[in-house]
């Protein structure tokens, strides 16, 4: 599984970071990104964080979190 944030849609609500700070963080402007690979979707999410990534995706009010299962 890989993930990233569509930064144009992010409203910096804080849900993703509150749910899974091991994967999601904020830049200096307060916009979220996947810090595993600088939002490039090249690194796989560790197995122990997959359910949290899916929870963050479900709880994003702007649907800015993208998840790929491959």
């Amino acid at each position: 599984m890989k993930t990233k944030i569509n930064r144009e849609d992010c409203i910096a609500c804080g849900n993703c970071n509150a749910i899974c700070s091991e994967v999601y963080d904020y830049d200096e402007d307060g916009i979220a990104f996947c810090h595993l690979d600088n939002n490039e979707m090249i690194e796989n999410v560790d197995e122990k964080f997959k359910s949290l990534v899916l929870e963050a995706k479900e709880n994003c009010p702007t649907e800015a979190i993208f998840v790929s299962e491959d």
Side-chain angles (χ1 to χ4, degrees):
M1 170 189 289
K2 296 175 183 171
T3 186
K4 71 175 184 175
I5 303 282
N6 182 344
R7 295 171 47 80
E8 292 79 31
D9 293 338
C10 179
I11 59 170
C13 72
N15 286 352
C16 61
N17 181 260
I19 293 169
C20 193
S21 62
E22 296 84 0
V23 173
Y24 302 109
D25 203 354
Y26 301 101
D27 66 13
E28 60 278 354
D29 296 322
I31 302 299
F33 71 102
C34 173
H35 68 80
L36 297 177
D37 56 12
N38 200 29
N39 216 49
E40 298 291 325
M41 270 190 92
I42 55 176
E43 295 292 327
N44 285 311
V45 174
D46 192 298
E47 187 71 33
K48 63 185 172 185
F49 301 125
K50 286 184 177 183
S51 64
L52 292 174
V53 166
L54 292 175
E55 182 181 344
K57 181 181 188 298
E58 290 175 17
N59 286 282
C60 179
T62 63
E63 299 179 352
I65 298 175
F66 182 76
V67 175
S68 172
E69 295 291 340
D70 56 10

